[in-house]
Structure formats: C-alpha cells, structure tokens
Amino acid sequence: MDEVVEILRPGGVFLTLAANMQIYDEHHNELGLINEGEPASGPGIDAYPKVYNWLEDQGSLWEDTGLKIVDVPIGPWEDDISAKDKQTSELMRQDLLRLIQSVRPLLLSYGWFNETVEKWSAGAIEEIKLMKNRYY
C-alpha cells in the first residue's frame, strides 16, 4: 500500500477489489470443508480480509476509506435480477469452473493425493455445471 500512496496524485482515488475465495450457501452461510487429510504444505489465501485494515493502518494518508461486501451468485439462480446481474452471475459460474481446473496442479504440489484431487474436482465441476445447489 505504501507504493500506492507514493504514486497517487493529490485528490486521486484508489479503488481496490479483493475477492473472498470462500463459498456461501443461498442463505449466506459459509460452507465448511470436509477434511480428507492434510496436505504436506501450502499457504492459505488470506489477503482479502486484510486489505481494508491495511488502508486503515496507514491512518491519515487516506482522506476516506470504505468497505462494501458484495455477494455474487454462482450461476443465474436468483429470482428477479437484472439482465446485467444474470450475466455477471453466469460469468462467476464459468470463472469458478475454470478455477477448479486450474488449481489442480497447485493442490498436487502441496501434497494432496491425485485420487483425492480428481474426486474433488469431478464433484465440484458436476455440482457447478448442473447448479445442483445455490451458492454465492
């Protein structure tokens, strides 16, 4: 954040987006993970909740800070949404399908068994493609 402060013009606006990599059910309850063993190693993905605090920690460097949480449906399952929101939720579903496929090598490098990763991937892909459940 220090670098942003250095290059931002006086009166300039810094807008950032940080994605929460957690999935929630249709009632906005966080989905827990089923533990099928521990990986050999690997970092957590935890920068997203820290961005706002990093800005706040810099104190008076920022005239105004704010935080807005937006839950985007995974797939166009919500009733009475605009065409734009329907398109956004479909794009979210497509992105999640790509993410499931792209994270496979990473999970294997952390020590997860190939069979476990295949089982997780296949189940997740089927669930998201068929929109069996409603998620954010």
Side-chain angles (χ1 to χ4, degrees):
M1 293 291 131
D2 293 332
E3 292 84 4
V4 173
V5 171
E6 288 179 20
I7 63 169
L8 194 63
R9 294 180 180 163
V13 175
F14 173 64
L15 178 64
T16 185
L17 172 94
N20 178 356
M21 300 302 290
Q22 181 61 49
I23 297 177
Y24 298 85
D25 68 15
E26 65 184 306
H27 306 291
H28 302 273
N29 297 314
E30 184 175 323
L31 294 183
L33 299 176
I34 298 172
N35 188 356
E36 294 190 26
E38 293 296 323
S41 63
I45 301 173
D46 64 352
Y48 114 85
K50 297 178 181 176
V51 174
Y52 179 73
N53 291 334
W54 290 338
L55 295 172
E56 288 291 302
D57 289 346
Q58 290 184 314
S60 62
L61 290 175
W62 302 99
E63 288 180 25
D64 186 23
T65 57
L67 174 67
K68 181 174 182 177
I69 297 173
V70 178
D71 293 329
V72 179
I74 299 172
W77 56 264
E78 282 189 331
D79 297 326
D80 301 322
I81 60 173
S82 69
K84 182 179 178 181
D85 288 345
K86 189 173 276 195
Q87 180 184 16
T88 301
S89 62
E90 176 56 27
L91 290 172
M92 181 64 79
R93 188 175 73 87
Q94 291 174 21
D95 284 346
L96 183 58
L97 287 168
R98 283 191 213 61
L99 177 67
I100 292 166
Q101 305 230 359
S102 69
V103 77
R104 185 182 184 285
L106 185 64
L107 293 173
L108 293 171
S109 75
Y110 289 162
W112 293 102
F113 293 115
N114 186 52
E115 297 79 22
T116 303
V117 173
E118 288 296 326
K119 178 180 161 186
W120 288 346
S121 297
I125 288 169
E126 178 185 358
E127 189 170 340
I128 299 303
K129 277 187 175 178
L130 299 177
M131 292 193 330
K132 288 181 176 181
N133 295 301
R134 297 173 170 193
Y135 296 126
Y136 288 98

